[in-house]
Amino acid sequence: MPKSLHENICNEGLFSKIFQKHYQSLYAYLYYKFGDYLNPEDKAQEAFTKLWQNCGKVKPEKAKSYVFTIGNNMMLNEVKHHKVVLQHRQLKPKAHTNESPEFLMQEQEYLQKLQRAIGNLTESERTAFLMNRVEGKKHKEIAAILGISSKAVEKRIYRALAKLREQIKEL
């Protein structure tokens, strides 16, 4: 059985013919599938660059499917990358607010007062209060965790609220 003249596409003339024959259709495919935003022209060129880098491994009859697969995968990777970038942009903290500087200062002062007032509570009151108001636990859950009755939990939270109201007039 006679061997094919071109078992791979490392020959520049053959590669050039493949490029001229398939480049425009690859570009059009990537453009129509993914749009212009992800730069399909660059991905088409990169696909042919990869074809040239792996020319010894690719037979001429497989070149078209190779560059289409490579180009499509590059675009899919770019889409994944853009999704990650968008997610991280959404996680950014706000750099500005609509509140006035005076309001922000008052808010800081209030939070400091609240921290001090919570710090002044007894350990049992502070624990019950924070479990209820911060962690959102119900009185029965707190009672089970602390090993006390629900009534004792209610009493501790009530005392904590009374002390906080007394220390912070804005409440």
Side-chain angles (χ1 to χ4, degrees), residues 121-144:
L121 297 174
T122 65
E123 182 66 32
S124 59
E125 293 168 344
R126 183 174 41 251
T127 304
F129 175 77
L130 292 176
M131 289 176 97
N132 180 255
R133 297 301 167 110
V134 176
E135 296 177 20
K137 295 191 184 307
K138 300 202 180 314
H139 292 195
K140 287 183 181 179
E141 292 175 296
I142 298 169

PDB file of all heavy atoms in Angstrom, residues 121-144:
ATOM      1  N   LEU A 121     -22.711  43.660  79.636  1.00  0.00           N
ATOM      2  CA  LEU A 121     -23.686  42.667  80.094  1.00  0.00           C
ATOM      3  C   LEU A 121     -22.968  41.539  80.821  1.00  0.00           C
ATOM      4  O   LEU A 121     -21.784  41.279  80.584  1.00  0.00           O
ATOM      5  CB  LEU A 121     -24.457  42.086  78.902  1.00  0.00           C
ATOM      6  CG  LEU A 121     -25.322  43.029  78.082  1.00  0.00           C
ATOM      7  CD1 LEU A 121     -25.878  42.299  76.858  1.00  0.00           C
ATOM      8  CD2 LEU A 121     -26.447  43.593  78.918  1.00  0.00           C
ATOM      9  N   THR A 122     -23.698  40.845  81.670  1.00  0.00           N
ATOM     10  CA  THR A 122     -23.103  39.668  82.315  1.00  0.00           C
ATOM     11  C   THR A 122     -22.922  38.597  81.251  1.00  0.00           C
ATOM     12  O   THR A 122     -23.580  38.625  80.201  1.00  0.00           O
ATOM     13  CB  THR A 122     -24.006  39.123  83.439  1.00  0.00           C
ATOM     14  OG1 THR A 122     -25.216  38.645  82.859  1.00  0.00           O
ATOM     15  CG2 THR A 122     -24.286  40.187  84.494  1.00  0.00           C
ATOM     16  N   GLU A 123     -22.080  37.644  81.552  1.00  0.00           N
ATOM     17  CA  GLU A 123     -21.791  36.576  80.590  1.00  0.00           C
ATOM     18  C   GLU A 123     -23.061  35.834  80.191  1.00  0.00           C
ATOM     19  O   GLU A 123     -23.296  35.564  79.011  1.00  0.00           O
ATOM     20  CB  GLU A 123     -20.768  35.598  81.185  1.00  0.00           C
ATOM     21  CG  GLU A 123     -20.354  34.477  80.249  1.00  0.00           C
ATOM     22  CD  GLU A 123     -19.575  34.952  79.035  1.00  0.00           C
ATOM     23  OE1 GLU A 123     -18.840  35.945  79.122  1.00  0.00           O
ATOM     24  OE2 GLU A 123     -19.729  34.311  77.968  1.00  0.00           O
ATOM     25  N   SER A 124     -23.901  35.502  81.143  1.00  0.00           N
ATOM     26  CA  SER A 124     -25.124  34.744  80.843  1.00  0.00           C
ATOM     27  C   SER A 124     -26.092  35.570  79.995  1.00  0.00           C
ATOM     28  O   SER A 124     -26.706  35.047  79.052  1.00  0.00           O
ATOM     29  CB  SER A 124     -25.808  34.280  82.133  1.00  0.00           C
ATOM     30  OG  SER A 124     -26.146  35.398  82.934  1.00  0.00           O
ATOM     31  N   GLU A 125     -26.230  36.859  80.293  1.00  0.00           N
ATOM     32  CA  GLU A 125     -27.119  37.727  79.514  1.00  0.00           C
ATOM     33  C   GLU A 125     -26.585  37.907  78.088  1.00  0.00           C
ATOM     34  O   GLU A 125     -27.339  37.830  77.121  1.00  0.00           O
ATOM     35  CB  GLU A 125     -27.247  39.102  80.183  1.00  0.00           C
ATOM     36  CG  GLU A 125     -27.966  39.082  81.512  1.00  0.00           C
ATOM     37  CD  GLU A 125     -27.835  40.384  82.278  1.00  0.00           C
ATOM     38  OE1 GLU A 125     -26.956  41.208  81.952  1.00  0.00           O
ATOM     39  OE2 GLU A 125     -28.611  40.561  83.226  1.00  0.00           O
ATOM     40  N   ARG A 126     -25.290  38.162  77.991  1.00  0.00           N
ATOM     41  CA  ARG A 126     -24.667  38.383  76.687  1.00  0.00           C
ATOM     42  C   ARG A 126     -24.811  37.139  75.804  1.00  0.00           C
ATOM     43  O   ARG A 126     -25.185  37.228  74.639  1.00  0.00           O
ATOM     44  CB  ARG A 126     -23.189  38.754  76.859  1.00  0.00           C
ATOM     45  CG  ARG A 126     -22.494  39.070  75.555  1.00  0.00           C
ATOM     46  CD  ARG A 126     -21.069  39.578  75.687  1.00  0.00           C
ATOM     47  NE  ARG A 126     -20.264  38.900  76.675  1.00  0.00           N
ATOM     48  CZ  ARG A 126     -19.879  39.438  77.835  1.00  0.00           C
ATOM     49  NH1 ARG A 126     -20.208  40.662  78.152  1.00  0.00           N
ATOM     50  NH2 ARG A 126     -19.139  38.744  78.680  1.00  0.00           N
ATOM     51  N   THR A 127     -24.557  35.964  76.379  1.00  0.00           N
ATOM     52  CA  THR A 127     -24.649  34.719  75.616  1.00  0.00           C
ATOM     53  C   THR A 127     -26.061  34.500  75.095  1.00  0.00           C
ATOM     54  O   THR A 127     -26.257  34.252  73.897  1.00  0.00           O
ATOM     55  CB  THR A 127     -24.225  33.518  76.487  1.00  0.00           C
ATOM     56  OG1 THR A 127     -22.912  33.760  76.983  1.00  0.00           O
ATOM     57  CG2 THR A 127     -24.240  32.233  75.691  1.00  0.00           C
ATOM     58  N   ALA A 128     -27.048  34.620  75.969  1.00  0.00           N
ATOM     59  CA  ALA A 128     -28.439  34.405  75.557  1.00  0.00           C
ATOM     60  C   ALA A 128     -28.865  35.455  74.536  1.00  0.00           C
ATOM     61  O   ALA A 128     -29.510  35.137  73.525  1.00  0.00           O
ATOM     62  CB  ALA A 128     -29.354  34.435  76.773  1.00  0.00           C
ATOM     63  N   PHE A 129     -28.508  36.711  74.771  1.00  0.00           N
ATOM     64  CA  PHE A 129     -28.891  37.801  73.867  1.00  0.00           C
ATOM     65  C   PHE A 129     -28.301  37.600  72.474  1.00  0.00           C
ATOM     66  O   PHE A 129     -28.998  37.689  71.470  1.00  0.00           O
ATOM     67  CB  PHE A 129     -28.442  39.148  74.457  1.00  0.00           C
ATOM     68  CG  PHE A 129     -28.683  40.307  73.551  1.00  0.00           C
ATOM     69  CD1 PHE A 129     -29.952  40.847  73.404  1.00  0.00           C
ATOM     70  CD2 PHE A 129     -27.644  40.872  72.824  1.00  0.00           C
ATOM     71  CE1 PHE A 129     -30.187  41.912  72.555  1.00  0.00           C
ATOM     72  CE2 PHE A 129     -27.865  41.939  71.968  1.00  0.00           C
ATOM     73  CZ  PHE A 129     -29.141  42.461  71.839  1.00  0.00           C
ATOM     74  N   LEU A 130     -26.989  37.326  72.388  1.00  0.00           N
ATOM     75  CA  LEU A 130     -26.331  37.167  71.093  1.00  0.00           C
ATOM     76  C   LEU A 130     -26.827  35.927  70.346  1.00  0.00           C
ATOM     77  O   LEU A 130     -26.986  35.963  69.119  1.00  0.00           O
ATOM     78  CB  LEU A 130     -24.811  37.121  71.263  1.00  0.00           C
ATOM     79  CG  LEU A 130     -24.164  38.442  71.714  1.00  0.00           C
ATOM     80  CD1 LEU A 130     -22.679  38.257  71.956  1.00  0.00           C
ATOM     81  CD2 LEU A 130     -24.415  39.543  70.711  1.00  0.00           C
ATOM     82  N   MET A 131     -27.080  34.849  71.086  1.00  0.00           N
ATOM     83  CA  MET A 131     -27.604  33.649  70.425  1.00  0.00           C
ATOM     84  C   MET A 131     -28.981  33.931  69.821  1.00  0.00           C
ATOM     85  O   MET A 131     -29.303  33.437  68.745  1.00  0.00           O
ATOM     86  CB  MET A 131     -27.682  32.483  71.410  1.00  0.00           C
ATOM     87  CG  MET A 131     -26.328  31.929  71.798  1.00  0.00           C
ATOM     88  SD  MET A 131     -26.466  30.640  73.038  1.00  0.00           S
ATOM     89  CE  MET A 131     -26.420  29.216  71.998  1.00  0.00           C
ATOM     90  N   ASN A 132     -29.773  34.746  70.509  1.00  0.00           N
ATOM     91  CA  ASN A 132     -31.111  35.059  70.024  1.00  0.00           C
ATOM     92  C   ASN A 132     -31.086  36.087  68.909  1.00  0.00           C
ATOM     93  O   ASN A 132     -31.650  35.876  67.840  1.00  0.00           O
ATOM     94  CB  ASN A 132     -31.972  35.545  71.191  1.00  0.00           C
ATOM     95  CG  ASN A 132     -33.374  35.900  70.758  1.00  0.00           C
ATOM     96  OD1 ASN A 132     -33.706  37.076  70.667  1.00  0.00           O
ATOM     97  ND2 ASN A 132     -34.186  34.893  70.485  1.00  0.00           N
ATOM     98  N   ARG A 133     -30.421  37.206  69.122  1.00  0.00           N
ATOM     99  CA  ARG A 133     -30.498  38.324  68.177  1.00  0.00           C
ATOM    100  C   ARG A 133     -29.521  38.225  67.020  1.00  0.00           C
ATOM    101  O   ARG A 133     -29.832  38.661  65.927  1.00  0.00           O
ATOM    102  CB  ARG A 133     -30.275  39.655  68.920  1.00  0.00           C
ATOM    103  CG  ARG A 133     -31.325  39.949  69.951  1.00  0.00           C
ATOM    104  CD  ARG A 133     -32.702  40.001  69.297  1.00  0.00           C
ATOM    105  NE  ARG A 133     -33.777  39.988  70.265  1.00  0.00           N
ATOM    106  CZ  ARG A 133     -34.556  41.019  70.532  1.00  0.00           C
ATOM    107  NH1 ARG A 133     -34.397  42.143  69.896  1.00  0.00           N
ATOM    108  NH2 ARG A 133     -35.512  40.901  71.423  1.00  0.00           N
ATOM    109  N   VAL A 134     -28.355  37.673  67.236  1.00  0.00           N
ATOM    110  CA  VAL A 134     -27.353  37.600  66.171  1.00  0.00           C
ATOM    111  C   VAL A 134     -27.458  36.276  65.412  1.00  0.00           C
ATOM    112  O   VAL A 134     -27.503  36.255  64.187  1.00  0.00           O
ATOM    113  CB  VAL A 134     -25.923  37.799  66.732  1.00  0.00           C
ATOM    114  CG1 VAL A 134     -24.888  37.616  65.646  1.00  0.00           C
ATOM    115  CG2 VAL A 134     -25.806  39.172  67.370  1.00  0.00           C
ATOM    116  N   GLU A 135     -27.503  35.177  66.156  1.00  0.00           N
ATOM    117  CA  GLU A 135     -27.553  33.866  65.509  1.00  0.00           C
ATOM    118  C   GLU A 135     -28.962  33.458  65.119  1.00  0.00           C
ATOM    119  O   GLU A 135     -29.152  32.514  64.365  1.00  0.00           O
ATOM    120  CB  GLU A 135     -26.936  32.810  66.425  1.00  0.00           C
ATOM    121  CG  GLU A 135     -25.451  33.043  66.679  1.00  0.00           C
ATOM    122  CD  GLU A 135     -24.850  32.034  67.640  1.00  0.00           C
ATOM    123  OE1 GLU A 135     -25.437  30.941  67.826  1.00  0.00           O
ATOM    124  OE2 GLU A 135     -23.797  32.339  68.210  1.00  0.00           O
ATOM    125  N   GLY A 136     -29.970  34.158  65.658  1.00  0.00           N
ATOM    126  CA  GLY A 136     -31.360  33.875  65.291  1.00  0.00           C
ATOM    127  C   GLY A 136     -31.935  32.616  65.908  1.00  0.00           C
ATOM    128  O   GLY A 136     -32.904  32.064  65.405  1.00  0.00           O
ATOM    129  N   LYS A 137     -31.379  32.165  67.003  1.00  0.00           N
ATOM    130  CA  LYS A 137     -31.877  30.947  67.650  1.00  0.00           C
ATOM    131  C   LYS A 137     -33.122  31.272  68.477  1.00  0.00           C
ATOM    132  O   LYS A 137     -33.265  32.345  69.024  1.00  0.00           O
ATOM    133  CB  LYS A 137     -30.805  30.341  68.549  1.00  0.00           C
ATOM    134  CG  LYS A 137     -29.587  29.858  67.785  1.00  0.00           C
ATOM    135  CD  LYS A 137     -28.688  29.041  68.676  1.00  0.00           C
ATOM    136  CE  LYS A 137     -27.422  28.601  68.006  1.00  0.00           C
ATOM    137  NZ  LYS A 137     -27.544  27.925  66.765  1.00  0.00           N
ATOM    138  N   LYS A 138     -33.993  30.288  68.553  1.00  0.00           N
ATOM    139  CA  LYS A 138     -35.212  30.426  69.343  1.00  0.00           C
ATOM    140  C   LYS A 138     -34.897  30.140  70.815  1.00  0.00           C
ATOM    141  O   LYS A 138     -33.873  29.549  71.135  1.00  0.00           O
ATOM    142  CB  LYS A 138     -36.270  29.467  68.824  1.00  0.00           C
ATOM    143  CG  LYS A 138     -36.614  29.727  67.369  1.00  0.00           C
ATOM    144  CD  LYS A 138     -37.965  29.176  67.037  1.00  0.00           C
ATOM    145  CE  LYS A 138     -38.380  29.391  65.613  1.00  0.00           C
ATOM    146  NZ  LYS A 138     -38.201  30.657  65.032  1.00  0.00           N
ATOM    147  N   HIS A 139     -35.813  30.562  71.690  1.00  0.00           N
ATOM    148  CA  HIS A 139     -35.592  30.405  73.138  1.00  0.00           C
ATOM    149  C   HIS A 139     -35.392  28.939  73.515  1.00  0.00           C
ATOM    150  O   HIS A 139     -34.532  28.621  74.346  1.00  0.00           O
ATOM    151  CB  HIS A 139     -36.762  30.994  73.915  1.00  0.00           C
ATOM    152  CG  HIS A 139     -36.843  32.485  73.792  1.00  0.00           C
ATOM    153  ND1 HIS A 139     -37.605  33.261  74.624  1.00  0.00           N
ATOM    154  CD2 HIS A 139     -36.251  33.363  72.955  1.00  0.00           C
ATOM    155  CE1 HIS A 139     -37.486  34.531  74.299  1.00  0.00           C
ATOM    156  NE2 HIS A 139     -36.675  34.608  73.274  1.00  0.00           N
ATOM    157  N   LYS A 140     -36.144  28.036  72.909  1.00  0.00           N
ATOM    158  CA  LYS A 140     -36.016  26.605  73.225  1.00  0.00           C
ATOM    159  C   LYS A 140     -34.642  26.076  72.820  1.00  0.00           C
ATOM    160  O   LYS A 140     -34.045  25.271  73.534  1.00  0.00           O
ATOM    161  CB  LYS A 140     -37.109  25.804  72.525  1.00  0.00           C
ATOM    162  CG  LYS A 140     -38.476  25.974  73.131  1.00  0.00           C
ATOM    163  CD  LYS A 140     -39.492  25.098  72.426  1.00  0.00           C
ATOM    164  CE  LYS A 140     -40.874  25.313  73.033  1.00  0.00           C
ATOM    165  NZ  LYS A 140     -41.899  24.501  72.363  1.00  0.00           N
ATOM    166  N   GLU A 141     -34.145  26.523  71.659  1.00  0.00           N
ATOM    167  CA  GLU A 141     -32.818  26.083  71.206  1.00  0.00           C
ATOM    168  C   GLU A 141     -31.732  26.562  72.166  1.00  0.00           C
ATOM    169  O   GLU A 141     -30.819  25.808  72.518  1.00  0.00           O
ATOM    170  CB  GLU A 141     -32.523  26.635  69.805  1.00  0.00           C
ATOM    171  CG  GLU A 141     -33.381  26.061  68.698  1.00  0.00           C
ATOM    172  CD  GLU A 141     -33.109  26.750  67.371  1.00  0.00           C
ATOM    173  OE1 GLU A 141     -33.373  27.966  67.255  1.00  0.00           O
ATOM    174  OE2 GLU A 141     -32.624  26.062  66.449  1.00  0.00           O
ATOM    175  N   ILE A 142     -31.841  27.815  72.566  1.00  0.00           N
ATOM    176  CA  ILE A 142     -30.851  28.382  73.491  1.00  0.00           C
ATOM    177  C   ILE A 142     -30.900  27.628  74.819  1.00  0.00           C
ATOM    178  O   ILE A 142     -29.858  27.294  75.398  1.00  0.00           O
ATOM    179  CB  ILE A 142     -31.100  29.897  73.702  1.00  0.00           C
ATOM    180  CG1 ILE A 142     -30.946  30.637  72.374  1.00  0.00           C
ATOM    181  CG2 ILE A 142     -30.152  30.462  74.750  1.00  0.00           C
ATOM    182  CD1 ILE A 142     -31.421  32.069  72.401  1.00  0.00           C
ATOM    183  N   ALA A 143     -32.113  27.350  75.287  1.00  0.00           N
ATOM    184  CA  ALA A 143     -32.274  26.618  76.553  1.00  0.00           C
ATOM    185  C   ALA A 143     -31.615  25.252  76.466  1.00  0.00           C
ATOM    186  O   ALA A 143     -30.928  24.824  77.409  1.00  0.00           O
ATOM    187  CB  ALA A 143     -33.759  26.488  76.886  1.00  0.00           C
ATOM    188  N   ALA A 144     -31.794  24.576  75.331  1.00  0.00           N
ATOM    189  CA  ALA A 144     -31.187  23.253  75.173  1.00  0.00           C
ATOM    190  C   ALA A 144     -29.669  23.338  75.140  1.00  0.00           C
ATOM    191  O   ALA A 144     -28.977  22.504  75.733  1.00  0.00           O
ATOM    192  CB  ALA A 144     -31.710  22.602  73.885  1.00  0.00           C
TER     193      ALA A 144
END
